[in-house]
């Protein structure tokens, strides 16, 4: 959905597909990424930014969410991202303002739509994309997996050891778990506990672990309304091909 002006800001996506951008940055030596890393990030972007390099939602000077991982002030990721790529954001008049992100220097006082477009442009700078990816892979995603481990182990001791090898071996499974946690942590925990119980019951491992995790998450999103959201997430994540030209 292209960037469009709203009454008090900007909303939409921009920058083109995430995959080719990450492949280019890897080829240039700017990022050390495995194919599995790229696959995971592409699947995440399919949920947060319709697969494009940034999604922006502003209201006045408030940045509600930004980037292909949908980071916000509330989760603390957006200010940390701006700190990590300060020069790139500053070139567009964007900077840390207290515990939020706002216009700084000559960017102050812009119209709401101009400000929103400046924020989007800043997030597309190579330096900003590199910082977003590093923050995701080194901090945000490991923290989500650690919380999932706690949620599984709290009620199914030994369950994480049964589930973890499948998450490690399958990018789609790992993406499903991480994105479900980002969307609905308790539902993700319930879903993986169901999968862990099945694996610990002593029977053979499922032939299709992707389907098993999808079914577990469906049960984890317990209410009818929540299940609609969970099924949308599963469909979106699994619709992405595992391989495309340029990946090795």
């Amino acid at each position: 959905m292209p960037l469009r002006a709203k009454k008090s800001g900007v909303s939409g996506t921009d920058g083109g597909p995430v995959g080719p951008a990450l492949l280019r940055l890897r080829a240039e030596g700017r990022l050390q990424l495995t194919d599995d890393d790229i696959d995971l990030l592409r699947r995440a972007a399919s949920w947060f930014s319709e697969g494009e390099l940034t999604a922006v939602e502003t209201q006045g000077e408030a940045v509600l969410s930004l980037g292909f991982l949908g980071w916000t002030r509330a989760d603390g990721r957006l200010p940390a991202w701006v700190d990590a790529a300060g020069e790139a954001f500053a070139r567009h008049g964007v900077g840390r303002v207290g515990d939020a992100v706002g216009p700084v220097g000559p960017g102050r006082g812009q119209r709401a739509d101009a400000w929103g477009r400046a924020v989007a442009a800043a997030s597309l700078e190579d330096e900003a994309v590199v910082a977003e990816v590093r923050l995701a892979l080194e901090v945000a995603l490991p923290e989500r997996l650690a919380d999932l481990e706690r949620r599984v182990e709290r009620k199914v001791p030994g369950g994480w050891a049964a589930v973890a090898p499948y998450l490690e071996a399958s990018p789609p499974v790992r993406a499903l778990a991480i994105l479900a946690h980002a969307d609905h942590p308790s539902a993700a925990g319930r879903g993986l506990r169901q999968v862990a119980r099945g694996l610990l019951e002593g029977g053979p491992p499922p032939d299709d672990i992707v389907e098993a995790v999808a079914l577990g998450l469906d049960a984890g999103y317990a209410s009818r309304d929540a299940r609609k959201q969970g099924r949308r997430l599963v469909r979106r994540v699994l619709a992405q091909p595992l391989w495309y030209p340029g990946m090795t």
Side-chain angles (χ1 to χ4, degrees):
M1 183 184 300
L3 291 181
R4 64 188 188 280
K6 304 187 302 180
K7 184 176 181 180
S8 60
V10 162
S11 177
T13 60
D14 199 5
V18 165
L22 298 185
L23 286 168
R24 175 179 61 81
L25 290 169
R26 180 173 73 174
E28 293 173 355
R30 303 285 300 277
L31 282 169
Q32 301 299 313
L33 295 172
T34 66
D35 285 354
D36 282 0
D37 292 333
I38 294 174
D39 186 81
L40 173 64
L41 294 168
R42 286 171 52 245
R43 291 177 194 277
S46 75
W47 180 244
F48 289 114
S49 66
E50 299 180 0
E52 295 212 32
L53 204 52
T54 198
V56 61
E57 184 80 22
T58 66
Q59 183 174 337
E61 293 182 352
V63 182
L64 304 181
S65 64
L66 186 66
F68 69 85
L69 295 172
W71 282 340
T72 68
R73 170 188 175 185
D75 63 21
R77 304 298 182 200
L78 182 53
W81 180 20
V82 172
D83 286 345
E87 291 184 7
F89 281 95
R91 284 195 289 272
H92 297 268
V94 184
R96 171 78 82 103
V97 180
D99 65 349
V101 174
V104 295
R108 296 189 62 83
Q110 295 186 61
R111 298 188 319 275
D113 62 332
W115 159 246
R117 292 179 188 280
V119 171
S123 71
L124 293 173
E125 293 266 0
D126 281 356
E127 180 186 339
V129 175
V130 168
E132 182 180 15
V133 169
R134 287 177 175 162
L135 185 60
L137 295 179
E138 296 172 9
V139 180
L141 300 185
E143 286 180 357
R144 292 197 182 283
L145 287 172
D147 186 61
L148 278 171
E149 180 177 359
R150 287 191 292 271
R151 290 173 184 273
V152 170
E153 287 295 317
R154 190 163 58 232
K155 294 189 176 181
V156 186
W160 186 255
V163 170
Y166 293 100
L167 270 67
E168 180 63 28
S170 171
V173 169
R174 190 161 63 255
L176 281 177
I178 289 170
L179 294 175
H181 182 275
D183 179 62
H184 196 321
S186 60
R190 284 193 297 268
L192 286 186
R193 286 197 295 270
Q194 175 169 305
V195 176
R197 289 189 186 100
L199 292 170
L200 290 174
E201 283 176 354
D207 292 333
D208 190 342
I209 189 66
V210 175
E211 181 180 0
V213 171
L215 290 172
L217 291 176
D218 187 53
Y221 280 79
S223 72
R224 181 167 57 185
D225 289 342
R227 278 188 173 177
K228 292 179 181 177
Q229 173 80 347
R231 287 169 182 171
R232 281 196 296 270
L233 185 148
V234 169
R235 286 196 300 270
R236 185 78 64 83
V237 170
L238 296 185
Q240 305 303 307
L242 184 62
W243 180 93
Y244 64 97
M247 293 180 71
T248 56

